[in-house]
Amino acid sequence: MKRLIFATNNKHKVQEVRAALEGRVEVVSLAEAGLCGEIPETAETLQGNALQKAQWVWERIDTVGAGFDGCFADDTGLEVDALGGAPGVYSARYAGEHCSFDDNITKLLAALDGQENRHADFRTVICLIENGEPHYFEGRVDGQILTERYGEGGFGYDPVFMPDRFAVSFAEMPLDVKNSISHRGLAVAKLKEYLEQ
Ligand code: IMP
């Protein structure tokens, strides 16, 4: 079984991706691999950030002992039509540096107050580095921004995002259902298909 370092310490993401790749790939988080430090994330595109994060790990992979086949990183943006695609690549710090998920939702709901066009999409780009070569996998899900928070599950903007063809928010869905339709789930499915080739 392949062992890959996932360039994140977000436990929700690790849980989601681990579940999707179970039995195929051993997914090891940064902390589990013994890597610490702030990974730069200064690119202006999701692809650029995913590459930057994966490269940061790749440059250090020999320092954490043998046995890793490579590493991957993801970058996600929530793109809201009525906001010209914002917050996009700035989704994590929409309400400012060190803001909470809840702060971001509060700012988003205020920005869309009275707005009828509530269409948005989540887009994820994964960058896998094996043998020094980057490979990209993209997933996207379309939906609507709700007018208030629903549900306790998930993370980030999940309580206010309702994917098309569903009548509940991401935060109200069981993880396996979210994974089967989500931006990250679709990108991970492409990664999985590639790793199985
Ligand atoms: P990241 O680049 O993957 O860390 O994502 C940037 C930001 O997008 C996160 O801080 C979250 O606010 C949001 N985000 C990413 N993935 C999800 C998701 O699956 N649900 C809700 N929000 C998400």
Side-chain angles (χ1 to χ4, degrees):
M1 187 150 68
K2 280 195 174 176
R3 295 182 80 216
L4 299 176
I5 300 179
F6 183 13
T8 188
N9 279 324
N10 178 327
K11 61 180 189 318
H12 299 280
K13 279 193 193 177
V14 175
Q15 199 187 2
E16 283 185 12
V17 173
R18 209 168 253 163
L21 296 178
E22 202 178 357
R24 307 275 175 189
V25 176
E26 187 186 342
V27 177
V28 179
S29 72
L30 284 177
E32 289 161 349
L35 281 171
C36 51
E38 192 80 4
I39 305 189
E41 207 177 319
T42 54
E44 286 182 3
T45 61
L46 299 177
Q47 179 163 336
N49 274 335
L51 172 65
Q52 200 177 22
K53 290 189 269 187
Q55 237 161 8
W56 187 93
V57 176
W58 180 255
E59 283 160 10
R60 289 158 181 78
I61 206 157
D62 290 335
T63 67
V64 291
F68 287 107
D69 299 289
C71 58
F72 64 97
D74 73 326
D75 202 49
T76 295
L78 174 67
E79 302 168 323
V80 181
D81 287 9
L83 303 178
V89 76
Y90 304 108
S91 295
R93 14 182 185 138
Y94 182 46
E97 291 296 330
H98 311 299
C99 63
S100 66
F101 290 143
D102 205 52
D103 296 336
N104 283 335
I105 291 180
T106 300
K107 180 168 176 184
L108 180 65
L109 293 181
L112 291 180
D113 191 27
Q115 177 59 249
E116 279 187 14
N117 176 7
R118 305 188 73 89
H119 178 267
D121 66 78
F122 269 117
R123 210 154 54 81
T124 291
V125 176
I126 291 177
C127 176
L128 165 74
I129 303 186
E130 279 186 312
N131 302 317
E133 285 294 319
H135 303 273
Y136 298 95
F137 308 91
E138 187 171 327
R140 171 185 170 141
V141 60
D142 289 78
Q144 301 287 320
I145 302 298
L146 299 164
T147 52
E148 54 186 283
R149 296 162 174 80
Y150 291 91
E152 303 291 327
F155 70 100
Y157 298 90
D158 277 351
V160 292
F161 185 84
M162 181 173 73
D164 288 350
R165 295 181 299 281
F166 285 80
V168 292
S169 78
F170 264 169
E172 294 176 291
M173 289 181 173
L175 186 60
D176 58 335
V177 178
K178 180 186 170 189
N179 272 346
S180 69
I181 59 161
S182 81
H183 45 303
R184 195 167 25 262
L186 297 176
V188 171
K190 290 181 187 168
L191 169 68
K192 183 176 169 187
E193 201 181 307
Y194 173 84
L195 292 169
E196 283 171 348
Q197 276 170 19

